[in-house]
Amino acid sequence: MMLMIPKGYETAGPELDLPADAVAKMMAYNEELRAAGVLEALEGLHPPSAGARVSFASGEPVVIDGPFIEAKEVLGGFWIINVPTMADAIEWAKRCPASPNETIEVRKIQQMDDYSEEIQEIVKTYPDVLEKGIKRS
């Protein structure tokens, strides 16, 4: 998974006012990922000012509406790509037409075989969840 972290997005207002030329470049990049057969999903996220957090620090759920004053970095969107190695994912991230205020974090999505046998057995008892979430090996 490639996670887009745009500096300044943590304080952005709820409106989406994106530069058309940047969107055009990003869409061309997205098309490259699709054409290469590695793109599984991608989404952009609204700024935190349009979101909420549910904290369990007190033992009970507490809802905090955005923006979040303590946020230093926030996600602006993500790509899920299917490539053989972390090095391949990093190479794709390096090709992104990101601006100087953007960072891409590359992380591996957990696979079923990453878990112990005990955990795998527990997870297998929820087949409907498996269809939407954890990838099977």
Side-chain angles (χ1 to χ4, degrees):
M1 176 178 263
M2 299 188 307
L3 306 165
M4 175 61 78
I5 305 168
K7 186 174 177 131
Y9 211 49
E10 63 278 2
T11 58
E15 67 284 340
L16 289 177
D17 188 20
L18 304 171
D21 61 329
V23 172
K25 289 176 186 173
M26 195 62 72
M27 292 306 296
Y29 172 70
N30 294 339
E31 174 56 22
E32 279 186 64
L33 291 165
R34 189 208 59 78
V38 301
L39 183 64
E40 292 199 4
L42 74 151
E43 295 292 341
L45 301 172
H46 282 269
S49 59
R53 288 183 177 173
V54 180
S55 171
F56 297 88
S58 68
E60 295 291 325
V62 175
V63 177
I64 304 157
D65 292 325
F68 314 113
I69 294 169
E70 70 281 358
K72 291 183 179 38
E73 293 182 334
V74 298
L75 293 179
F78 65 89
W79 298 263
I80 296 177
I81 59 174
N82 189 346
V83 293
T85 67
M86 177 63 88
D88 292 326
I90 291 168
E91 285 304 312
W92 276 108
K94 288 166 55 178
R95 293 172 65 176
C96 181
S99 65
N101 71 319
E102 295 172 318
T103 299
I104 296 176
E105 183 175 327
V106 180
R107 308 241 322 254
K108 183 179 177 190
I109 295 175
Q110 295 175 347
Q111 303 290 312
M112 187 60 77
D113 61 359
D114 293 332
Y115 297 101
S116 68
E117 283 187 35
E118 178 184 18
I119 298 301
Q120 289 183 38
E121 289 305 313
I122 293 169
V123 173
K124 285 178 189 176
T125 64
Y126 297 90
D128 292 339
V129 175
L130 286 174
E131 291 299 318
K132 296 285 183 191
I134 302 169
K135 294 189 176 225
R136 299 175 202 185
S137 299

